[in-house]
């Protein structure tokens, strides 16, 4: 029994190690192929995103212009309303002064 283990156990271990090495090589090759495909996909997506940058820049410019326009409009409306209330306040003060005299 002892001689059987001494003779055949190292052979069995070597065979299993060879199978393991072959499997690892196959897995590495598949991983390399997958990484190459993934690199192509990433490059394609990057190109498509770059092509959309122009659209996003146009949208950004338009929103900036609209924001500036709405700010000007709201400021003018606020100034108009303040002017109306100031005129009323002045009329009320003038009327009160005339009543006091």
């Amino acid at each position: 029994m002892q001689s059987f283990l001494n003779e055949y156990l190292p052979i069995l271990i070597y065979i299993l190690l060879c199978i393991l090495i072959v499997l690892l090589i196959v897995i590495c090759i598949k991983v390399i192929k997958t990484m190459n495909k993934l690199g192509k996909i990433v490059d394609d997506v990057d190109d498509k995103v770059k092509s959309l940058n122009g659209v996003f820049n146009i949208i950004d410019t338009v929103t900036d212009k609209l924001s500036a326009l709405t700010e000007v409009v709201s400021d003018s409306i606020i100034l108009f309303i303040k002017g109306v209330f100031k005129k009323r306040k002045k009329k009320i003060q003038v009327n009160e002064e005339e009543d006091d005299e």
Side-chain angles (χ1 to χ4, degrees), residues 80-96:
F80 175 75
I81 292 172
K82 281 184 179 179
V84 168
F85 283 119
K86 281 185 181 179
K87 287 180 185 177
R88 283 188 179 178
K89 205 173 201 181
K90 284 183 182 178
K91 281 185 180 179
I92 292 172
Q93 287 177 352
V94 169
N95 286 339
E96 287 178 358

Side-chain angles (χ1 to χ4, degrees), residues 35-96:
M35 292 302 288
N36 287 338
K37 288 179 184 177
L38 233 142
K40 289 178 184 177
I41 291 172
V42 168
D43 290 340
D44 187 41
V45 169
D46 190 40
D47 291 340
K48 289 179 181 178
V49 168
K50 285 181 182 176
S51 70
L52 290 176
N53 278 344
V55 174
F56 289 132
N57 287 337
I58 291 171
I59 291 172
D60 188 39
T61 305
V62 168
T63 55
D64 288 343
K65 302 275 184 188
L66 285 175
S67 175
L69 178 68
T70 55
E71 186 176 334
V72 168
V73 169
S74 64
D75 286 345
S76 62
I77 290 172
I78 289 171
L79 287 175
F80 175 75
I81 292 172
K82 281 184 179 179
V84 168
F85 283 119
K86 281 185 181 179
K87 287 180 185 177
R88 283 188 179 178
K89 205 173 201 181
K90 284 183 182 178
K91 281 185 180 179
I92 292 172
Q93 287 177 352
V94 169
N95 286 339
E96 287 178 358

Side-chain angles (χ1 to χ4, degrees), residues 94-101:
V94 169
N95 286 339
E96 287 178 358
E97 288 176 4
E98 289 177 358
D99 288 341
D100 288 341
E101 293 178 357

Side-chain angles (χ1 to χ4, degrees), residues 11-25:
I11 294 173
L12 182 65
I13 290 175
Y14 289 138
I15 291 173
L16 290 175
L17 281 174
C18 289
I19 292 172
L20 182 65
I21 289 173
V22 169
L23 287 176
L24 287 174
I25 290 172

